[in-house]
Amino acid sequence: MRLITSTRSALQQYNTLLSEIDEAQNNFKALEKELADMSERMLTGVVTHYGKDSSEYEKAGGTRKSERRRRKQRSPKPTTGTAATAG
């Protein structure tokens, strides 16, 4: 009987800790989103004042327009499948 009681108690404590961790994770994600939004607004303000190609924009965490690399477009793969011909 004592083993069942201590197991129930341990399970309850475990579930309580899991619930607290979930709450902490949710709070952290909300703060992270809020910080990302603030950073985006701050960068927008820097762009408005200095422009996207300024060193101030780069100092604020953005990538200068002149330093961005363009992605190379992949050429379409040639079709090498065999087509059945109706005869």
Side-chain angles (χ1 to χ4, degrees), residues 1 4 10 18 22 25 33 36 45-46 52 54-55 66 76-77 80-81:
M1 189 67 155
I4 293 172
L18 280 179
D22 286 342
Q25 183 181 21
K33 184 182 180 326
V46 171
K52 280 193 174 184
S54 67
S55 59
S66 62
K77 292 182 181 178
T80 58

Side-chain angles (χ1 to χ4, degrees), residues 43-52:
L43 275 176
T44 301
V46 171
V47 167
T48 302
H49 196 265
Y50 296 103
K52 280 193 174 184

